[in-house]
Structures are given as C-alpha cells and as structure tokens.
Amino acid sequence: MRVQSIPKFNRSLKENKKACEAWHLHWSGDDDLSLFEVSKCIDKFLVSLKEHTCSCRKWELTGIPCPHSITCMWLNGVQPKASVSSYYKCCFVFIII
C-alpha cells in the first residue's frame, strides 16, 4: 500500500521548500531550539516551532509550513511534512498497489 497526498498540498509544500533557500536564521537562545528570527534583506519573521507559528501567519492560516518555518525545521532535522495541519493528514488517499 502506498500513501499519496493531495496534489495541491504537495505543490504548496514544494514551493515553500524552494523559497526557503534564501532565508537566514538566527536562534533566539531558548533551551529547546524552537524560537528563531528568520531574515532576508530587510524582511524579518519570528518563528516558534514549538507553537507552530510564524509572524507571517501563513503557517497558521493554511496549515502548511511557510518558507520561514521550513528553514528552522531543517536546522533541527525536522521534516516539514511532519508539521502539517492534521486536516491534511486525514485527507491522504490510500492506493493499493
């Protein structure tokens, strides 16, 4: 059996992964490596991996990690798909091969 997710979800996550390459992150000094400031030129965003939030608000509004949060996840070795809203996780389609 193979699990296949919704095409639009996959496309959005893939685009966000590509967009995160130019962002620089700065750890905020917390004990569990979950608070970061992510910046590019004059744009700055605050990310909390623990609370699944970003000051750009895309992560909270869509349930799909934004480029800023993905940058922080990669530093911690977390796969972005693991931090997707439960709405998308319950909508996976199972295909029997």
Side-chain angles (χ1 to χ4, degrees), residues 16-72:
N16 287 350
K17 285 179 182 179
K18 284 183 183 179
C20 77
E21 294 173 357
W23 292 94
H24 303 282
L25 73 114
H26 310 280
W27 175 50
S28 295
D30 64 321
D31 291 332
D32 54 358
L33 283 171
S34 66
L35 292 174
F36 296 91
E37 179 182 85
V38 183
S39 62
K40 178 172 69 172
C41 299
I42 60 170
D43 296 325
K44 292 184 180 184
F45 298 98
L46 300 175
V47 175
S48 172
L49 295 178
K50 192 178 204 176
E51 297 177 10
H52 292 223
T53 60
C54 178
S55 59
C56 77
R57 308 226 349 114
K58 288 181 184 177
W59 195 3
E60 296 95 339
L61 293 172
T62 65
I64 300 171
C66 63
H68 322 111
S69 61
I70 293 174
T71 303
C72 301

